[in-house]
Each structure stands twice: as C-alpha cells, then as structure tokens.
Amino acid sequence: MISKIKHTMILIGMAWLYAGCQASIDSQRALYQWVHNPANGMVKSKEVGLYRLTMKYLPPELQASRGLARQSAQQVAGLLKSGRDNLTFVLNLSLVSPSGGQDIMYQEVSSYAAYKKRALDMNFNMAKYIAIKADGKEISPSIAHLENTYSLTQGRNIVLVFDRKQVPQSAQKLDITFTDQLFGTGIHHFVFHQKDLDNLPQVTYLGK
C-alpha cells in the first residue's frame, strides 16, 4: 500500500513538473513577477554594510514589453531579435536602510569634487569595473549605461549589455564580477546559470 502511495506521489510530482515546464506567461505583470522571483534564478542580491547590490537578468521579452502599446508587431519582433543577440543585465545600487529619503549618490560624500567623481564614474566608467567570466574567458560590457532617474529614486540602475557572440556557447555558468570603486565595498560575484536564463516560459502576449 505504501509503495503504491509513493508511486502515485511520484507520478503527481512528475505531472506537476511537466505542467510547470509547459506553463506560459500571458501578461506583462506575470512576466515581471517571474523575472523578479529569486527562485527562478534571474535576480541575485546581496547586502554589504550600508549597501544593497542587486543584479538582474533582463530577458528580451521583458525588454520588448516596454512601451508595448505604442509598438507594431514588426517593431516588437525587431526588439526581440536585438535582445537575443545580446545579454542584458541591470545592476541596482541602493541603501539597505535609507533615512530621510537619502540618495545613494550622496552617501559618504564629503565634497562636491567627490560627488562629481562618483557621478562621472557611474555615467562613463562602469564598463571598467564589470565583466562576465565564463569558461575561462572575460567579457566586458559593450554598453554600461546609467539610467537617468532625475533623482526620483534613492538607488541607481546601471544597464549592462554584453555581446552574446563573445560568450562561449559551452558556458553553463556566467560569473558577473563587479569591482566596486564607487562605495568601496570590494569585489562582488553574481553567478547566473545558463539553464535558469533559458528556463523562461513561453511569453504569449507579445504575439497578439
């Protein structure tokens, strides 16, 4: 009797796993939730002292979803193709416990010259501090772009674009390293597994 129960549980588990693999995403909200669920392996986060560092993979489907209502089907297809030619990540830098609406740009800055250097680094020098290490190869980002938030948020996003052709096809693990020259928190590793990046369910609403 016990063996039959175990057998049934295994079959149920296999059916659930198969259903999960076959699941589709039918809305932008569902896609956003999937990407931001740490269990799916597309977001890595750590806290170091006052700072929180988060690295997020941005799948082509999520990139194509931006401004979807204003885009034709042809434009969406072009965005998807462009996105698949690259690997795009977003590095978010924020404070763990910001007080009084404190902007991270001003954290531990003692002069205008120090603030200016930080702003210049975040705008123009981030590609020097970040790389993907995969199968013994190191790839620098072709684009490292600071999102302009007009100080509406306390943290900052740096968009990182890597040429997918430069990443070895055999690589099963992508180690994104960030040498923090901005806040002095050290060298950080955000490890992504290719199987997780490839595991996004079919996104059906983009084709409508």
Side-chain angles (χ1 to χ4, degrees):
M1 180 65 180
I2 294 176
S3 61
K4 287 184 178 180
I5 293 174
K6 286 184 178 179
H7 180 68
T8 302
M9 291 179 66
I10 290 173
L11 289 176
I12 292 173
M14 291 176 64
W16 179 86
L17 181 61
Y18 178 81
C21 293
Q22 296 299 309
S24 62
I25 292 176
D26 59 4
S27 71
Q28 186 172 351
R29 180 180 179 181
L31 176 58
Y32 186 89
Q33 290 175 338
W34 173 276
V35 170
H36 287 82
N37 183 348
N40 293 325
M42 295 188 179
V43 177
K44 311 290 179 179
S45 185
K46 61 167 62 178
E47 294 181 2
V48 181
L50 300 172
Y51 303 98
R52 178 180 292 112
L53 303 91
T54 302
M55 188 74 73
K56 175 180 67 177
Y57 173 60
L58 212 62
E61 292 81 359
L62 192 57
Q63 298 176 60
S65 294
R66 295 181 174 182
L68 184 61
R70 302 187 300 273
Q71 296 166 351
S72 66
Q74 186 176 3
Q75 288 173 318
V76 171
L79 287 171
L80 287 171
K81 182 182 183 305
S82 175
R84 288 166 182 152
D85 289 339
N86 299 290
L87 286 168
T88 303
F89 295 84
V90 175
L91 172 63
N92 176 265
L93 303 170
S94 61
L95 297 173
V96 175
S97 301
S99 58
Q102 186 175 12
D103 190 325
I104 192 173
M105 294 293 291
Y106 298 97
Q107 181 66 32
E108 298 181 352
V109 167
S110 57
S111 66
Y112 175 73
Y115 169 82
K116 185 176 179 181
K117 181 182 184 306
R118 177 175 291 175
L120 287 172
D121 270 351
M122 293 183 77
N123 274 284
F124 303 110
N125 295 328
M126 293 303 293
K128 297 179 181 179
Y129 308 141
I130 298 173
I132 285 180
K133 295 181 179 179
D135 279 3
K137 186 176 181 181
E138 186 169 306
I139 305 103
S140 297
S142 54
I143 297 173
H145 168 66
L146 175 68
E147 283 189 346
N148 193 343
T149 60
Y150 302 100
S151 298
L152 296 176
T153 63
Q154 297 167 349
R156 290 296 185 276
N157 286 333
I158 295 110
V159 179
L160 306 164
V161 180
F162 298 86
D163 185 348
R164 189 183 290 272
K165 293 191 294 293
Q166 294 187 27
V167 179
Q169 293 186 358
S170 59
Q172 299 300 310
K173 184 173 68 174
L174 307 178
D175 179 3
I176 304 181
T177 61
F178 169 44
T179 303
D180 182 12
Q181 299 290 333
L182 304 168
F183 306 100
T185 61
I187 299 175
H188 305 284
H189 295 266
F190 302 91
V191 178
F192 293 83
H193 297 275
Q194 190 62 53
K195 64 179 179 62
D196 292 331
L197 305 189
D198 294 338
N199 195 40
L200 184 71
Q202 182 183 7
V203 177
T204 57
Y205 70 91
L206 287 175
K208 295 180 180 180

